[in-house]
Amino acid sequence: MTEASSNEIPLKRKMVIPLISGAVAGVVSAAAVMTFMDANFDDTLSASRMIAAVVGGLYMMIAIGVGVGAASPALGEKYLNTEDADEIREMRAVLLYSAIAMTLWGAALVLLALAAPAGPVPAQVALIIATAMMAIGAWLGWKSHKASDELYSRVNIEATAVAYFATIVIGGGWMMLAHLELADAMAPLDWLTMFYVTGLAATFIVTGRRGMLKVA
């Protein structure tokens, strides 16, 4: 085995571990949310609420992984998409701000999924708490953006643009079909969930396009 090929093994492992971890986190969070919903609410919650809760749970699961990795760089370098523990230490503030923001956003979406009239949480309570969570999350997201270096700032801006156009294409296209009575209109919670999904997907698209999902 040559030196180049021997070096490729840990690099490939470095790429595979985050992918596997992300897939496992998605499955675990979805299964946990679905189990909780089935055990406590039977069939009283709509598909829109179930999907919103799953997406919110996924946000929190990802946030926990990022937060743990940022708090423990030695552990984080094993699965976060960074070069080493030193890079995590340099980015700790950015990662922690992002992790807390994603936790709040995810919890807010889950709370809205459980809000009245179908859920047990009073509508006024859900509105106040979810608004506070989203506002604090947005502030922390801004702090994360300001603490980022030039590369990650560009990634944030590009991801926002991609998410915007994806929302226009998907949401606008769906509403056009609904207007023509060729499809059912999206529920308000579906729109909110779509914002979450397009934002997360756009981040992966932009980082992948910039080659940041690979370890050079």
Side-chain angles (χ1 to χ4, degrees):
M1 181 180 295
T2 64
E3 181 180 354
S5 61
S6 63
N7 287 337
E8 289 178 358
I9 296 177
L11 296 182
K12 290 180 179 179
R13 186 181 297 119
K14 186 79 170 182
M15 295 168 59
V16 169
I17 290 177
L19 292 176
I20 294 178
S21 300
V24 171
V27 172
V28 170
S29 61
V33 171
M34 294 293 287
T35 300
F36 174 80
M37 293 293 191
D38 289 339
N40 292 276
F41 304 106
D42 297 324
D43 297 325
T44 59
L45 296 182
S46 65
S48 294
R49 290 173 179 266
M50 294 286 284
I51 294 172
V54 169
V55 172
L58 178 59
Y59 260 68
M60 289 189 287
M61 184 70 73
I62 294 174
I64 290 171
V66 173
V68 170
S72 177
L75 176 62
E77 71 171 344
K78 299 181 184 300
Y79 64 89
L80 292 179
N81 191 45
T82 55
E83 291 183 1
D84 50 32
D86 289 335
E87 183 179 358
I88 295 178
R89 293 186 184 94
E90 293 175 1
M91 297 176 57
R92 178 172 286 171
V94 174
L95 295 174
L96 289 177
Y97 286 145
S98 297
I100 298 173
M102 287 190 68
T103 301
L104 292 172
W105 289 332
L109 189 58
V110 172
L111 180 64
L112 291 173
L114 298 177
V121 182
Q124 294 85 351
V125 174
L127 175 63
I128 294 172
I129 297 177
T131 299
M133 286 180 171
M134 289 185 177
I136 296 172
W139 175 68
L140 291 171
W142 177 250
K143 287 180 69 68
S144 175
H145 174 70
K146 296 297 290 183
S148 300
D149 58 21
E150 182 177 356
L151 174 60
Y152 280 91
S153 293
R154 291 301 306 170
V155 168
N156 288 334
I157 294 172
E158 290 179 20
T160 301
V162 171
Y164 170 78
F165 286 112
T167 300
I168 291 295
V169 172
I170 298 173
W174 197 324
M175 288 302 97
M176 180 174 65
L177 293 174
H179 172 69
L180 298 173
E181 298 184 351
L182 298 175
D184 294 331
M186 294 173 63
L189 188 60
D190 293 332
W191 277 96
L192 190 57
T193 302
M194 183 179 65
F195 296 152
Y196 276 68
V197 173
T198 54
L200 190 61
T203 301
F204 280 100
I205 291 172
V206 172
T207 53
R209 188 173 60 187
R210 283 182 168 268
M212 295 171 65
L213 295 181
K214 300 177 182 179
V215 179

